[in-house]
Amino acid sequence: MTAGPAGGGPDAVLDLLGSDLDLRAWVLSPTGRRIAGAAPAGAGPELSAEIRAALAGEQLAASRTGRPGPYRCTAGGGTYSLFPVRGGGREPRETALSDW
């Protein structure tokens, strides 16, 4: 999944999910900013800022209470599955805001 010449980064994986499995997926920062993924043409609307903020809030709340992922939540009338992405080892200085 590297972004170099041999890989396409996260967008390549998310494109495969969309084309092969008909799933829309995004990678969001802990603040709800879109890092990767987009709706393919004709696949429906992109995530609104309000939905991205709600999903980020759900992730932060779950992380703060120690709830393990993945989990589902509702935002903007839709149901979403959230899969937290973390680096290799959790260092004590890392915070919930360093997760994607």
mmCIF file of all heavy atoms in Angstrom, residues 40-79:
data_model
loop_
_atom_site.group_PDB
_atom_site.id
_atom_site.type_symbol
_atom_site.label_atom_id
_atom_site.label_comp_id
_atom_site.label_asym_id
_atom_site.label_seq_id
_atom_site.Cartn_x
_atom_site.Cartn_y
_atom_site.Cartn_z
ATOM 1 N N PRO A 40 -16.705 7.112 -6.333
ATOM 2 C CA PRO A 40 -16.526 7.060 -7.771
ATOM 3 C C PRO A 40 -17.697 7.752 -8.467
ATOM 4 O O PRO A 40 -18.758 7.905 -7.892
ATOM 5 C CB PRO A 40 -16.499 5.576 -8.095
ATOM 6 C CG PRO A 40 -16.642 4.840 -6.826
ATOM 7 C CD PRO A 40 -16.864 5.816 -5.735
ATOM 8 N N ALA A 41 -17.491 8.151 -9.681
ATOM 9 C CA ALA A 41 -18.543 8.833 -10.431
ATOM 10 C C ALA A 41 -19.803 7.987 -10.457
ATOM 11 O O ALA A 41 -19.758 6.796 -10.753
ATOM 12 C CB ALA A 41 -18.060 9.115 -11.854
ATOM 13 N N GLY A 42 -20.916 8.592 -10.076
ATOM 14 C CA GLY A 42 -22.204 7.919 -10.088
ATOM 15 C C GLY A 42 -22.464 7.014 -8.898
ATOM 16 O O GLY A 42 -23.484 6.351 -8.838
ATOM 17 N N ALA A 43 -21.544 6.962 -7.917
ATOM 18 C CA ALA A 43 -21.724 6.063 -6.777
ATOM 19 C C ALA A 43 -22.427 6.729 -5.606
ATOM 20 O O ALA A 43 -22.588 6.130 -4.574
ATOM 21 C CB ALA A 43 -20.363 5.534 -6.312
ATOM 22 N N GLY A 44 -22.820 7.959 -5.751
ATOM 23 C CA GLY A 44 -23.496 8.633 -4.650
ATOM 24 C C GLY A 44 -22.671 9.785 -4.137
ATOM 25 O O GLY A 44 -21.561 10.038 -4.594
ATOM 26 N N PRO A 45 -23.216 10.492 -3.176
ATOM 27 C CA PRO A 45 -22.544 11.696 -2.683
ATOM 28 C C PRO A 45 -21.313 11.390 -1.837
ATOM 29 O O PRO A 45 -21.194 10.311 -1.270
ATOM 30 C CB PRO A 45 -23.624 12.369 -1.836
ATOM 31 C CG PRO A 45 -24.497 11.250 -1.390
ATOM 32 C CD PRO A 45 -24.477 10.241 -2.508
ATOM 33 N N GLU A 46 -20.431 12.353 -1.805
ATOM 34 C CA GLU A 46 -19.243 12.297 -0.955
ATOM 35 C C GLU A 46 -19.695 12.512 0.486
ATOM 36 O O GLU A 46 -20.783 13.028 0.736
ATOM 37 C CB GLU A 46 -18.266 13.386 -1.403
ATOM 38 C CG GLU A 46 -16.944 13.402 -0.670
ATOM 39 C CD GLU A 46 -16.115 12.151 -0.910
ATOM 40 O OE1 GLU A 46 -15.826 11.835 -2.067
ATOM 41 O OE2 GLU A 46 -15.756 11.504 0.078
ATOM 42 N N LEU A 47 -18.880 12.122 1.447
ATOM 43 C CA LEU A 47 -19.195 12.384 2.852
ATOM 44 C C LEU A 47 -19.208 13.888 3.109
ATOM 45 O O LEU A 47 -18.248 14.575 2.777
ATOM 46 C CB LEU A 47 -18.152 11.746 3.771
ATOM 47 C CG LEU A 47 -18.172 10.250 3.934
ATOM 48 C CD1 LEU A 47 -17.014 9.805 4.821
ATOM 49 C CD2 LEU A 47 -19.479 9.789 4.531
ATOM 50 N N SER A 48 -20.273 14.379 3.723
ATOM 51 C CA SER A 48 -20.343 15.800 4.051
ATOM 52 C C SER A 48 -19.448 16.099 5.250
ATOM 53 O O SER A 48 -19.068 15.196 6.002
ATOM 54 C CB SER A 48 -21.780 16.199 4.375
ATOM 55 O OG SER A 48 -22.183 15.613 5.610
ATOM 56 N N ALA A 49 -19.140 17.359 5.434
ATOM 57 C CA ALA A 49 -18.323 17.785 6.578
ATOM 58 C C ALA A 49 -18.998 17.411 7.892
ATOM 59 O O ALA A 49 -18.332 17.022 8.858
ATOM 60 C CB ALA A 49 -18.058 19.289 6.508
ATOM 61 N N GLU A 50 -20.323 17.515 7.938
ATOM 62 C CA GLU A 50 -21.056 17.187 9.166
ATOM 63 C C GLU A 50 -20.940 15.696 9.495
ATOM 64 O O GLU A 50 -20.749 15.323 10.652
ATOM 65 C CB GLU A 50 -22.531 17.582 9.032
ATOM 66 C CG GLU A 50 -22.766 19.069 8.952
ATOM 67 C CD GLU A 50 -22.526 19.653 7.561
ATOM 68 O OE1 GLU A 50 -22.479 18.890 6.554
ATOM 69 O OE2 GLU A 50 -22.344 20.876 7.476
ATOM 70 N N ILE A 51 -21.048 14.856 8.478
ATOM 71 C CA ILE A 51 -20.932 13.416 8.716
ATOM 72 C C ILE A 51 -19.512 13.056 9.116
ATOM 73 O O ILE A 51 -19.290 12.273 10.038
ATOM 74 C CB ILE A 51 -21.395 12.608 7.493
ATOM 75 C CG1 ILE A 51 -22.903 12.777 7.310
ATOM 76 C CG2 ILE A 51 -21.023 11.129 7.631
ATOM 77 C CD1 ILE A 51 -23.452 12.116 6.067
ATOM 78 N N ARG A 52 -18.529 13.643 8.433
ATOM 79 C CA ARG A 52 -17.126 13.363 8.802
ATOM 80 C C ARG A 52 -16.855 13.771 10.241
ATOM 81 O O ARG A 52 -16.198 13.042 10.989
ATOM 82 C CB ARG A 52 -16.176 14.072 7.841
ATOM 83 C CG ARG A 52 -16.202 13.492 6.435
ATOM 84 C CD ARG A 52 -15.060 13.999 5.553
ATOM 85 N NE ARG A 52 -14.697 15.381 5.753
ATOM 86 C CZ ARG A 52 -15.145 16.410 5.037
ATOM 87 N NH1 ARG A 52 -16.010 16.189 4.053
ATOM 88 N NH2 ARG A 52 -14.739 17.632 5.278
ATOM 89 N N ALA A 53 -17.379 14.916 10.674
ATOM 90 C CA ALA A 53 -17.182 15.373 12.056
ATOM 91 C C ALA A 53 -17.870 14.432 13.041
ATOM 92 O O ALA A 53 -17.310 14.102 14.097
ATOM 93 C CB ALA A 53 -17.699 16.793 12.218
ATOM 94 N N ALA A 54 -19.072 13.971 12.695
ATOM 95 C CA ALA A 54 -19.782 13.043 13.574
ATOM 96 C C ALA A 54 -19.032 11.722 13.699
ATOM 97 O O ALA A 54 -18.921 11.165 14.798
ATOM 98 C CB ALA A 54 -21.200 12.809 13.052
ATOM 99 N N LEU A 55 -18.498 11.204 12.589
ATOM 100 C CA LEU A 55 -17.739 9.961 12.633
ATOM 101 C C LEU A 55 -16.465 10.121 13.450
ATOM 102 O O LEU A 55 -16.094 9.234 14.221
ATOM 103 C CB LEU A 55 -17.417 9.486 11.216
ATOM 104 C CG LEU A 55 -18.617 9.098 10.350
ATOM 105 C CD1 LEU A 55 -18.163 8.757 8.931
ATOM 106 C CD2 LEU A 55 -19.391 7.949 10.966
ATOM 107 N N ALA A 56 -15.795 11.252 13.295
ATOM 108 C CA ALA A 56 -14.588 11.510 14.088
ATOM 109 C C ALA A 56 -14.930 11.570 15.568
ATOM 110 O O ALA A 56 -14.188 11.053 16.414
ATOM 111 C CB ALA A 56 -13.926 12.805 13.633
ATOM 112 N N GLY A 57 -16.051 12.187 15.902
ATOM 113 C CA GLY A 57 -16.488 12.254 17.293
ATOM 114 C C GLY A 57 -16.801 10.883 17.863
ATOM 115 O O GLY A 57 -16.464 10.582 19.009
ATOM 116 N N GLU A 58 -17.452 10.042 17.065
ATOM 117 C CA GLU A 58 -17.747 8.675 17.501
ATOM 118 C C GLU A 58 -16.459 7.899 17.758
ATOM 119 O O GLU A 58 -16.350 7.177 18.742
ATOM 120 C CB GLU A 58 -18.579 7.944 16.443
ATOM 121 C CG GLU A 58 -19.991 8.434 16.329
ATOM 122 C CD GLU A 58 -20.887 7.954 17.457
ATOM 123 O OE1 GLU A 58 -20.556 6.937 18.108
ATOM 124 O OE2 GLU A 58 -21.925 8.585 17.681
ATOM 125 N N GLN A 59 -15.485 8.037 16.867
ATOM 126 C CA GLN A 59 -14.199 7.354 17.029
ATOM 127 C C GLN A 59 -13.492 7.840 18.285
ATOM 128 O O GLN A 59 -12.976 7.052 19.066
ATOM 129 C CB GLN A 59 -13.321 7.567 15.790
ATOM 130 C CG GLN A 59 -11.834 7.375 15.980
ATOM 131 C CD GLN A 59 -11.424 6.018 16.513
ATOM 132 O OE1 GLN A 59 -12.135 5.042 16.384
ATOM 133 N NE2 GLN A 59 -10.269 5.954 17.121
ATOM 134 N N LEU A 60 -13.481 9.133 18.512
ATOM 135 C CA LEU A 60 -12.810 9.685 19.698
ATOM 136 C C LEU A 60 -13.492 9.206 20.969
ATOM 137 O O LEU A 60 -12.826 8.805 21.926
ATOM 138 C CB LEU A 60 -12.798 11.212 19.632
ATOM 139 C CG LEU A 60 -12.108 11.921 20.785
ATOM 140 C CD1 LEU A 60 -10.651 11.495 20.894
ATOM 141 C CD2 LEU A 60 -12.205 13.430 20.613
ATOM 142 N N ALA A 61 -14.828 9.219 21.000
ATOM 143 C CA ALA A 61 -15.558 8.760 22.183
ATOM 144 C C ALA A 61 -15.267 7.284 22.462
ATOM 145 O O ALA A 61 -15.045 6.899 23.613
ATOM 146 C CB ALA A 61 -17.050 8.988 21.990
ATOM 147 N N ALA A 62 -15.264 6.457 21.418
ATOM 148 C CA ALA A 62 -14.983 5.033 21.602
ATOM 149 C C ALA A 62 -13.552 4.818 22.081
ATOM 150 O O ALA A 62 -13.301 3.991 22.961
ATOM 151 C CB ALA A 62 -15.227 4.274 20.301
ATOM 152 N N SER A 63 -12.633 5.557 21.516
ATOM 153 C CA SER A 63 -11.229 5.428 21.909
ATOM 154 C C SER A 63 -11.018 5.833 23.362
ATOM 155 O O SER A 63 -10.295 5.177 24.103
ATOM 156 C CB SER A 63 -10.363 6.273 20.982
ATOM 157 O OG SER A 63 -9.018 6.187 21.349
ATOM 158 N N ARG A 64 -11.666 6.910 23.777
ATOM 159 C CA ARG A 64 -11.506 7.397 25.159
ATOM 160 C C ARG A 64 -12.085 6.440 26.177
ATOM 161 O O ARG A 64 -11.626 6.383 27.304
ATOM 162 C CB ARG A 64 -12.133 8.768 25.300
ATOM 163 C CG ARG A 64 -11.355 9.819 24.507
ATOM 164 C CD ARG A 64 -11.875 11.180 24.770
ATOM 165 N NE ARG A 64 -11.548 11.511 26.159
ATOM 166 C CZ ARG A 64 -11.756 12.682 26.699
ATOM 167 N NH1 ARG A 64 -12.282 13.634 25.978
ATOM 168 N NH2 ARG A 64 -11.446 12.909 27.942
ATOM 169 N N THR A 65 -13.121 5.675 25.809
ATOM 170 C CA THR A 65 -13.725 4.727 26.743
ATOM 171 C C THR A 65 -13.102 3.335 26.643
ATOM 172 O O THR A 65 -13.505 2.433 27.359
ATOM 173 C CB THR A 65 -15.249 4.610 26.509
ATOM 174 O OG1 THR A 65 -15.485 4.143 25.184
ATOM 175 C CG2 THR A 65 -15.936 5.937 26.727
ATOM 176 N N GLY A 66 -12.153 3.169 25.727
ATOM 177 C CA GLY A 66 -11.472 1.886 25.576
ATOM 178 C C GLY A 66 -12.251 0.866 24.771
ATOM 179 O O GLY A 66 -11.925 -0.308 24.770
ATOM 180 N N ARG A 67 -13.276 1.314 24.082
ATOM 181 C CA ARG A 67 -14.092 0.408 23.260
ATOM 182 C C ARG A 67 -13.270 -0.060 22.067
ATOM 183 O O ARG A 67 -12.751 0.752 21.301
ATOM 184 C CB ARG A 67 -15.337 1.153 22.788
ATOM 185 C CG ARG A 67 -16.294 0.309 22.007
ATOM 186 C CD ARG A 67 -17.544 1.126 21.746
ATOM 187 N NE ARG A 67 -18.255 0.579 20.617
ATOM 188 C CZ ARG A 67 -19.073 1.271 19.873
ATOM 189 N NH1 ARG A 67 -19.286 2.547 20.117
ATOM 190 N NH2 ARG A 67 -19.708 0.704 18.876
ATOM 191 N N PRO A 68 -13.132 -1.363 21.879
ATOM 192 C CA PRO A 68 -12.330 -1.849 20.760
ATOM 193 C C PRO A 68 -13.082 -1.703 19.443
ATOM 194 O O PRO A 68 -14.296 -1.778 19.392
ATOM 195 C CB PRO A 68 -12.101 -3.326 21.098
ATOM 196 C CG PRO A 68 -13.283 -3.703 21.926
ATOM 197 C CD PRO A 68 -13.673 -2.451 22.682
ATOM 198 N N GLY A 69 -12.344 -1.459 18.377
ATOM 199 C CA GLY A 69 -12.945 -1.394 17.054
ATOM 200 C C GLY A 69 -12.841 -2.742 16.389
ATOM 201 O O GLY A 69 -12.132 -3.610 16.878
ATOM 202 N N PRO A 70 -13.475 -2.979 15.303
ATOM 203 C CA PRO A 70 -14.362 -2.072 14.578
ATOM 204 C C PRO A 70 -15.732 -1.998 15.238
ATOM 205 O O PRO A 70 -16.102 -2.860 16.029
ATOM 206 C CB PRO A 70 -14.457 -2.699 13.188
ATOM 207 C CG PRO A 70 -14.215 -4.146 13.415
ATOM 208 C CD PRO A 70 -13.294 -4.240 14.607
ATOM 209 N N TYR A 71 -16.480 -0.972 14.901
ATOM 210 C CA TYR A 71 -17.814 -0.787 15.435
ATOM 211 C C TYR A 71 -18.644 0.036 14.467
ATOM 212 O O TYR A 71 -18.113 0.642 13.551
ATOM 213 C CB TYR A 71 -17.778 -0.123 16.809
ATOM 214 C CG TYR A 71 -16.768 0.977 16.924
ATOM 215 C CD1 TYR A 71 -17.088 2.286 16.590
ATOM 216 C CD2 TYR A 71 -15.470 0.699 17.341
ATOM 217 C CE1 TYR A 71 -16.140 3.287 16.673
ATOM 218 C CE2 TYR A 71 -14.529 1.695 17.414
ATOM 219 C CZ TYR A 71 -14.870 2.981 17.087
ATOM 220 O OH TYR A 71 -13.928 3.975 17.158
ATOM 221 N N ARG A 72 -19.951 0.027 14.678
ATOM 222 C CA ARG A 72 -20.875 0.752 13.805
ATOM 223 C C ARG A 72 -21.438 1.959 14.528
ATOM 224 O O ARG A 72 -21.581 1.955 15.743
ATOM 225 C CB ARG A 72 -22.020 -0.136 13.373
ATOM 226 C CG ARG A 72 -21.579 -1.200 12.420
ATOM 227 C CD ARG A 72 -22.738 -1.934 11.857
ATOM 228 N NE ARG A 72 -22.199 -2.944 10.951
ATOM 229 C CZ ARG A 72 -22.916 -3.735 10.246
ATOM 230 N NH1 ARG A 72 -24.216 -3.669 10.323
ATOM 231 N NH2 ARG A 72 -22.360 -4.603 9.459
ATOM 232 N N CYS A 73 -21.773 2.962 13.736
ATOM 233 C CA CYS A 73 -22.438 4.143 14.284
ATOM 234 C C CYS A 73 -23.334 4.731 13.203
ATOM 235 O O CYS A 73 -23.220 4.382 12.032
ATOM 236 C CB CYS A 73 -21.423 5.160 14.785
ATOM 237 S SG CYS A 73 -20.458 5.924 13.484
ATOM 238 N N THR A 74 -24.229 5.598 13.607
ATOM 239 C CA THR A 74 -25.088 6.279 12.650
ATOM 240 C C THR A 74 -24.733 7.747 12.627
ATOM 241 O O THR A 74 -24.393 8.334 13.650
ATOM 242 C CB THR A 74 -26.584 6.100 12.995
ATOM 243 O OG1 THR A 74 -26.805 6.593 14.308
ATOM 244 C CG2 THR A 74 -26.999 4.662 12.906
ATOM 245 N N ALA A 75 -24.798 8.318 11.455
ATOM 246 C CA ALA A 75 -24.528 9.750 11.272
ATOM 247 C C ALA A 75 -25.242 10.194 10.010
ATOM 248 O O ALA A 75 -25.163 9.519 8.978
ATOM 249 C CB ALA A 75 -23.024 10.012 11.159
ATOM 250 N N GLY A 76 -25.962 11.297 10.083
ATOM 251 C CA GLY A 76 -26.635 11.840 8.909
ATOM 252 C C GLY A 76 -27.640 10.885 8.296
ATOM 253 O O GLY A 76 -27.831 10.890 7.091
ATOM 254 N N GLY A 77 -28.249 10.030 9.103
ATOM 255 C CA GLY A 77 -29.239 9.104 8.597
ATOM 256 C C GLY A 77 -28.669 7.832 7.987
ATOM 257 O O GLY A 77 -29.417 6.978 7.530
ATOM 258 N N GLY A 78 -27.350 7.682 7.972
ATOM 259 C CA GLY A 78 -26.724 6.481 7.421
ATOM 260 C C GLY A 78 -26.015 5.696 8.506
ATOM 261 O O GLY A 78 -25.742 6.206 9.590
ATOM 262 N N THR A 79 -25.723 4.446 8.233
ATOM 263 C CA THR A 79 -24.973 3.597 9.156
ATOM 264 C C THR A 79 -23.581 3.379 8.580
ATOM 265 O O THR A 79 -23.434 3.069 7.400
ATOM 266 C CB THR A 79 -25.677 2.245 9.351
ATOM 267 O OG1 THR A 79 -26.989 2.481 9.864
ATOM 268 C CG2 THR A 79 -24.910 1.366 10.329
#
